[in-house]
Amino acid sequence: MILRNISIVLAASALSATAFNPTSLAARSMVKTPSHKTALFSSVAEAPNGTEKKVNGVNGANGANGEVNGGGSAFDGLVNKNQKGARQDMEERSERLSLDISKTQYTSLVKSPPDAYISFAEKGASNAHLPKRKIFHQSVLGGCYVGFGGLISLAIAGNLGGMAAANPGVAKMAFAALFPVNLLLIVSTSGQLFTGNSATVTAARYEGFVSNEDLWTNLAVSLAGNVVGCGLFAAAAMVAGIMNPGSSALAISTAVSKCSGGFIPTFTKAVMCNWMVSMAVFMATAANDLAGKMVGIWFAISTFVGIGLEHSIANLFILPLAMMLGAPVTLGAVIFKNLIPVLAGNFAAGALIVAASYSYQFGRLGGLRRALFADKLANIKKDLEKKRKNAEKELQGEIAQALS
């Protein structure tokens, strides 16, 4: 009897949850956005025709505290927001709108490649449209997260002792297995790295979501924030006194190796590296749940780390750290023999191999008229403004009538 009652309660709870949240009628992301706007926007804008919606707690038909039937356009329900709030919802939930426009009904945890690319470009637009101080803030945090990934990798791989000496691949595998934690932290919190932005924001530029000024401003500010974040975290590691002899030796040998190559080999390794990093971001964008994002990130990042490729932001952490530990490298060698060719190669991979390639396949560069997507968003915003004004007038009239 007790089990039967429990099952009834659970079933009723599930039914009420479905009725309350219309987005449960269709597949949706299993991970909240960092700003936690999904439920607020989706529960109003995606309500099916015939679903009852509350509008400021006022009922035009049944009195002052009832509900208003929600037939008609999906945007009618947005009248309970002020003008600024509704505009923010439109901008911050562009990904949800893209799925609506494409009419895709997701029954799996992974977006289709075309929609994954559009979400990828929208991520770049979202990054670029933030105020400069917020881009810088998120980039400093991104640099620190890269530092966390580098530090745990050094701490484990640098202390394998005789096992690593007898089997060098073991140390590489340990480093490659641990380093990807940084990108999961960054993607999950909307952090920003120059390497990822070189692909996502450039894709947004190809699709017409941002201007040239937005693109170059974002890249400059995010790089500056990454430099600060990585440098501060390297200094914090020294202050904390956690660089033991094994970790220090690995950091120093890595720095010497990175500053010993020629321009062309280093540039080429940087191109291959950010190809993998950008694909990690692409696959994380395609996944709708946290586990899927982790899988997409882990394999791609582990690939470039295990091969020994060049990532500019990771180098901005490990090279200053090695210099603080007494590595026999000069600042000039760090800048001219590593950072300049690596930054150039990372940008080339993100902007050309990934962003331009998939824009050609799925977007405007391929002549597939993805410009219509931006036009539809603009038309939706105009329609929303018009409908909001009309709805506010009708609502005021109904309130006046109900109170009279």
Side-chain angles (χ1 to χ4, degrees):
M1 185 66 180
I2 294 176
L3 291 176
R4 180 173 178 273
N5 291 337
I6 291 175
S7 64
I8 292 173
V9 171
L10 291 175
S13 299
L15 183 60
S16 63
T18 301
F20 177 76
N21 187 359
T23 62
S24 62
L25 300 177
R28 63 188 187 279
S29 173
M30 297 178 68
V31 182
K32 298 180 181 71
T33 60
S35 58
H36 192 27
K37 294 291 185 180
T38 304
L40 176 62
F41 186 83
S42 302
S43 62
V44 178
E46 295 186 3
N49 291 339
T51 302
E52 292 188 342
K53 305 174 188 174
K54 291 185 179 181
V55 183
N56 286 342
V58 178
N59 183 350
N62 299 329
N65 296 313
E67 295 180 343
V68 178
N69 288 335
S73 171
F75 291 108
D76 292 341
L78 288 174
V79 297
N80 67 323
K81 296 184 174 69
N82 58 36
Q83 183 174 356
K84 180 180 178 182
R87 183 178 296 112
Q88 288 175 341
D89 281 343
M90 287 292 297
E91 293 171 351
E92 294 174 5
R93 293 306 306 149
S94 59
E95 179 177 346
R96 175 65 61 184
L97 286 174
S98 74
L99 301 184
D100 292 344
I101 289 172
S102 67
K103 304 303 180 185
T104 303
Q105 295 295 319
Y106 288 102
T107 57
S108 70
L109 300 179
V110 181
K111 299 178 181 71
S112 66
D115 281 323
Y117 169 72
I118 291 300
S119 294
F120 183 77
E122 287 175 339
K123 175 180 175 62
S126 176
N127 285 352
H129 287 151
L130 287 174
K132 294 183 184 67
R133 66 183 184 279
K134 289 196 173 184
I135 296 174
F136 183 79
H137 170 258
Q138 286 290 67
S139 301
V140 171
L141 292 179
C144 291
Y145 292 146
V146 169
F148 270 111
L151 198 56
I152 183 61
S153 301
L154 290 171
I156 302 301
N159 290 282
L160 293 176
M163 182 187 301
N167 302 281
V170 173
K172 273 196 169 185
M173 184 60 195
F175 206 112
L178 295 167
F179 188 75
V181 66
N182 73 83
L183 191 58
L184 181 64
L185 293 171
I186 291 165
V187 168
S188 299
T189 60
S190 288
Q192 299 203 32
L193 293 183
F194 168 84
T195 46
N197 286 350
S198 69
T200 58
V201 181
T202 306
R205 178 65 192 94
Y206 292 149
E207 302 310 314
F209 297 160
V210 301
S211 66
N212 286 329
E213 181 181 358
D214 293 330
L215 169 63
W216 296 114
T217 298
N218 176 269
L219 292 178
V221 175
S222 61
L223 179 57
N226 292 161
V227 170
V228 172
C230 289
L232 288 176
F233 201 84
M238 293 297 296
V239 172
I242 54 181
M243 294 301 294
N244 59 31
S247 301
S248 299
L250 180 57
I252 290 172
S253 63
T254 301
V256 171
S257 174
K258 287 180 176 294
C259 295
S260 301
F263 186 95
I264 298 302
T266 302
F267 175 85
T268 305
K269 287 193 285 187
V271 169
M272 292 190 288
C273 171
N274 208 38
W275 190 344
M276 284 292 94
V277 172
S278 299
M279 290 310 301
V281 177
F282 189 98
M283 290 188 289
T285 304
N288 292 324
D289 68 316
L290 191 60
K293 293 178 186 295
M294 184 63 231
V295 170
I297 288 169
W298 192 88
F299 284 101
I301 300 301
S302 293
T303 296
F304 97 72
V305 176
I307 294 172
L309 303 178
E310 295 285 348
H311 187 270
S312 55
I313 311 306
N315 291 353
L316 285 170
F317 166 72
I318 199 167
L319 294 178
L321 178 63
M323 292 178 71
M324 294 177 195
L325 291 168
V329 294
T330 64
L331 181 60
V334 167
I335 294 174
F336 295 104
K337 292 187 72 75
N338 185 272
L339 292 180
I340 288 178
V342 173
L343 285 168
N346 285 169
F347 177 76
L352 300 177
I353 295 180
V354 175
S357 176
Y358 288 107
S359 180
Y360 173 77
Q361 187 66 31
F362 304 121
R364 288 206 309 177
L365 294 186
L368 298 181
R369 300 179 62 79
R370 278 296 184 176
L372 292 176
F373 177 82
D375 293 339
K376 287 181 179 180
L377 282 182
N379 291 334
I380 286 173
K381 291 180 181 180
K382 292 179 182 178
D383 185 57
L384 175 62
E385 292 287 345
K386 185 182 300 184
K387 287 179 178 294
R388 183 189 300 110
K389 291 179 181 179
N390 293 337
E392 285 177 351
K393 290 181 181 179
E394 293 177 4
L395 186 61
Q396 290 173 359
E398 291 173 355
I399 293 173
Q401 184 178 2
L403 297 176
S404 62

